[in-house]
Each structure stands twice: as structure tokens, then as C-alpha cells.
């Protein structure tokens, strides 16, 4: 049997991305955060790009130029997740040093440190910035009260039968958190329900352990789509109904790294994982539209800019690259 052919770079939209150096180890997660300093909302929002990395030094950059703004220094292990709160005043980082730290995103000063009992893989802010969700290898979703950080966190065990690690957690609203797990389940938790039988409200299922998960509210119709990268497939769910919209087999796999991100218009998506290529696909058909090479190691994380005009990719080679959606 002939070996599989090497992918060829796309002739459509061929481009040279902006390269953002600074990290020295593999990237783990990227997040864009747009804020508008004008209370009237008249000005263009400023967008930041935050990166989690195994070099223990999560960074904040300008999302347009890629210029470095600051580094959160204090972790003693790889940082798996880094998120700014919706106002970009607070930062949170989840680490292999068994801790989650909260930072002043303006000064970079540490504010709180929350100990865990194992590697923490994900953290996310509630929409009102008052609570922080965390998850990782313990298989326990925790919710910390940032207004009263001395209070013990709420805890939600993913499975009573076995330890099911959490790869990603995302708030849907101020009451509900999604936890994506190694057993292929995406569990919906009502973190305000006092009755344990009312806390797990819904479960979505894919075949393999979830590597990446993203919520995207489409600019065209305000429909919220859940994008899941697991095994060798990217799957899309309608959050209003829980129905699967599409599931596409990829020319890569996500067993060790990688992810996917849906364009804000809902017209296409990007995916990267077990090889060096960044691919763009049509949302309705799954057809590969573009294929770009630039990284020198497998693609570990990627996200579209909120305005959809660009996207960022992070690699095992320690660099972030910024690509134009329509060069």
C-alpha cells in the first residue's frame, strides 16, 4: 500500500502569518478577549490574545499586531489554561503545579491562589466575573467565589464510577457550566442547584475523549454552536436543542493535541492537531478549503478572532502565528 500523500499548501489565500515569539515550550491554549473602553460603545473594541504555555509563563498580547503586553509570573509548572474575564480586568491560569491563580490583568500582580490535588487543565470566568470554574485530572468541576475567595468552592464530581478527567470547562450563563471530559461526555452542570439530583441537567456525547471545546454565538442569527474536537472528528451541536448539526472526520487526530474553532459567521471552521498544517473547512459540507504550513511542530490550539478577520494558532514549536481569514 502506498504511503499517504503529504498535504500541499493551499494556493487559495496563500499567506505569510505574523509570528509571535516569546514562549519557549509548547503552547496549550489561546483565548481572544474584546473589551470596549468607551461606555457608550462608540469606539472599536480593543482585543487581547492570551496564551497558556508549558513554559510556566502565560502571556497577554495585542490581538491585532501580536505585540507582547505582559506575562503572569508565579507558576511552578506548565500552564494549561489562561483566561481573561469579560472586562479584561482579571486573569486566571490553571497549572500543572496543582493550582489555579487569579491575577490583576492590568498590573500582572497575583491576587489569589486556589490549591487543587492534581493537574488543573482548564479554567473559565462566569459572564458576570464573580465566579471561576476549574477542572482537570481530579475529575472534579470546582466553582470558586471570587467576591468571597475564602469560601470553599462548590464541587461537582463528573463520575462516581471512575475518575474522568476534565479537559475544558466553559460557562454558558451565570448558572451553568459545561465540562468536557476524557470519557467523551460534555456535562451541563447547574451550579446553583442545591439538590444534587438537579445539578446535572444534560449530557452530550462524542465517541472519544474531548480535546477541545468552544462556544460560538453566530453573528448571523444569534444561534449558539458548540464545537467539539475529539478523536479524529470535529462535531457541532446546537446549544438550544442539544442536537448534533454536523460531525466531520478530519485528516488529523486530536488524541494528544489540537482543536477546532468556528468562524463567527458560521460559514467555516479551522482545525489543527497531529501534524504541522492549519486547515480551513466549509461548515455545511466539511470540504477542505485551505491548508497552510508555517509551524514547525504539531498545532496544539487555535481560535478565531471575535471579528472573524483573523485567527491565531499555537504550536509545539513554541510560537503563536496570526493568520488572515481572507488575505
Amino acid at each position: 500500500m502506498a504511503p499517504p500523500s503529504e498535504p500541499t499548501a493551499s494556493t487559495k489565500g496563500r499567506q505569510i502569518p505574523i509570528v509571535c515569539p516569546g514562549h519557549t515550550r509548547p503552547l496549550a491554549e489561546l483565548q481572544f478577549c474584546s473589551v470596549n473602553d468607551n461606555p457608550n460603545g462608540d469606539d472599536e473594541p480593543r482585543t487581547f490574545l492570551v496564551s497558556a504555555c508549558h513554559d510556566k509563563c502565560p502571556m497577554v498580547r495585542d490581538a491585532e499586531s501580536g505585540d507582547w503586553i505582559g506575562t503572569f509570573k508565579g507558576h511552578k509548572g506548565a500552564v494549561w489554561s489562561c483566561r481573561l474575564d469579560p472586562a479584561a480586568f482579571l486573569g486566571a491560569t490553571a497549572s500543572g503545579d496543582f493550582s489555579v491563580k487569579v491575577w490583576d490583568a492590568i498590573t500582572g500582580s497575583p491576587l489569589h491562589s486556589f490549591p487543587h490535588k492534581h493537574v488543573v487543565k482548564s479554567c473559565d470566568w462566569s459572564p458576570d466575573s464573580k465566579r471561576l470554574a476549574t477542572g482537570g485530572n481530579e475529575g472534579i468541576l470546582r466553582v470558586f467565589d471570587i467576591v468571597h475567595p475564602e469560601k470553599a468552592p462548590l464541587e461537582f464530581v463528573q463520575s462516581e464510577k471512575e475518575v474522568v478527567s476534565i479537559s475544558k470547562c466553559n460557562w454558558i450563563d451565570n448558572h451553568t457550566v459545561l465540562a468536557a471530559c476524557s470519557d467523551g461526555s460534555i456535562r451541563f452542570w447547574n451550579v446553583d442547584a442545591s439538590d444534587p439530583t438537579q445539578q446535572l441537567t444534560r449530557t452530550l456525547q462524542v465517541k472519544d475523549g474531548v480535546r477541545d471545546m468552544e462556544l460560538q454565538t453566530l453573528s448571523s442569527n444569534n444561534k449558539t454552536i458548540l464545537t467539539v474536537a475529539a478523536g479524529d472528528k470535529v462535531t457541532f451541536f446546537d446549544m438550544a436543542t442539544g442536537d448534533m448539526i454536523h460531525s466531520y472526520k478530519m485528516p488529523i487526530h486530536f488524541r494528544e493535541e489540537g482543536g477546532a474553532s468556528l468562524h463567527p459567521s458560521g460559514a467555516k471552521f479551522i482545525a489543527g492537531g497531529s501534524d504541522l498544517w492549519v486547515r480551513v473547512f466549509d461548515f455545511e459540507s466539511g470540504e477542505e478549503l485551505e491548508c497552510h504550513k508555517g509551524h514547525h511542530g504539531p498545532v496544539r490550539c487555535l481560535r478565531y478572532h471575535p471579528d472573524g478577520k483573523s485567527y491565531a494558532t499555537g504550536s509545539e514549536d513554541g510560537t503563536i502565528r496570526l493568520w488572515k481569514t481572507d488575505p
Side-chain angles (χ1 to χ4, degrees):
M1 182 182 293
S5 59
E6 183 77 7
T8 56
S10 172
T11 55
K12 178 185 177 184
R14 182 177 291 172
Q15 57 177 299
I16 299 175
I18 296 173
V19 180
C20 307
H23 286 299
T24 58
R25 296 287 306 281
L27 272 293
E29 186 179 82
L30 296 170
Q31 181 220 7
F32 285 101
C33 180
S34 291
V35 293
N36 196 320
D37 295 330
N38 187 336
N40 297 321
D42 298 332
D43 299 334
E44 284 289 319
R46 184 176 185 188
T47 303
F48 300 98
L49 175 64
V50 292
S51 53
C53 183
H54 289 194
D55 64 6
K56 313 173 190 176
C57 297
M59 295 184 181
V60 181
R61 300 176 184 275
D62 180 88
E64 316 305 327
S65 65
D67 291 343
W68 175 86
I69 295 174
T71 302
F72 299 121
K73 292 186 177 181
H75 278 294
K76 297 179 180 179
V79 176
W80 288 93
S81 182
C82 182
R83 303 284 177 95
L84 295 180
D85 82 308
F89 290 136
L90 298 170
T93 50
S95 173
D97 65 9
F98 297 13
S99 78
V100 167
K101 294 185 184 295
V102 175
W103 311 81
D104 183 322
I106 307 300
T107 66
S109 301
L111 300 176
H112 310 293
S113 184
F114 300 118
H116 291 61
K117 296 178 181 178
H118 211 306
V119 173
V120 193
K121 289 291 188 75
S122 184
C123 60
D124 194 38
W125 290 98
S126 61
D128 62 8
S129 302
K130 294 180 180 180
R131 294 194 284 185
L132 182 69
T134 70
N137 289 1
E138 284 182 86
I140 300 173
L141 175 70
R142 289 184 172 89
V143 176
F144 293 88
D145 186 337
I146 302 302
V147 180
H148 302 285
E150 71 283 354
K151 292 175 61 175
L154 302 174
E155 295 188 350
F156 306 88
V157 177
Q158 300 306 292
S159 173
E160 299 291 349
K161 299 177 183 178
E162 59 182 339
V163 176
V164 176
S165 62
I166 298 171
S167 57
K168 297 288 180 184
C169 59
N170 289 87
W171 291 83
I172 305 174
D173 52 40
N174 286 317
H175 311 285
T176 311
V177 182
L178 294 184
C181 299
S182 57
D183 63 353
S185 296
I186 300 101
R187 296 174 172 86
F188 291 57
W189 293 95
N190 179 348
V191 298
D192 289 328
S194 56
D195 182 351
T197 64
Q198 303 297 315
Q199 292 171 348
L200 182 61
T201 61
R202 179 193 290 179
T203 301
L204 301 177
Q205 191 72 39
V206 293
K207 181 179 178 181
D208 299 282
V210 178
R211 175 61 54 187
D212 191 24
M213 173 176 72
E214 177 196 54
L215 286 167
Q216 180 71 273
T217 300
L218 305 186
S219 55
S220 56
N221 56 15
N222 280 329
K223 179 185 288 187
T224 300
I225 305 295
L226 178 68
T227 304
V228 177
D232 59 0
K233 292 183 178 180
V234 175
T235 304
F236 302 94
F237 293 94
D238 184 332
M239 286 296 290
T241 63
D243 295 337
M244 181 189 298
I245 304 171
H246 299 297
S247 186
Y248 297 120
K249 191 176 188 303
M250 295 284 102
I252 52 174
H253 66 77
F254 308 105
R255 287 188 285 275
E256 297 170 3
E257 63 262 307
S261 181
L262 181 62
H263 190 272
S265 69
K268 51 190 172 183
F269 66 96
I270 50 175
S274 55
D275 64 12
L276 314 183
W277 302 79
V278 180
R279 294 174 172 87
V280 184
F281 298 89
D282 181 80
F283 177 73
E284 292 299 340
S285 67
E287 176 189 358
E288 184 177 307
L289 304 175
E290 302 172 30
C291 183
H292 301 293
K293 186 174 183 180
H295 285 295
H296 302 291
V299 178
R300 296 182 66 98
C301 47
L302 64 178
R303 284 293 183 267
Y304 269 109
H305 189 293
D307 67 10
K309 296 178 182 178
S310 64
Y311 55 92
T313 59
S315 167
E316 196 144 327
D317 64 15
T319 66
I320 300 166
R321 280 168 161 77
L322 303 179
W323 309 78
K324 293 184 182 301
T325 300
D326 298 301

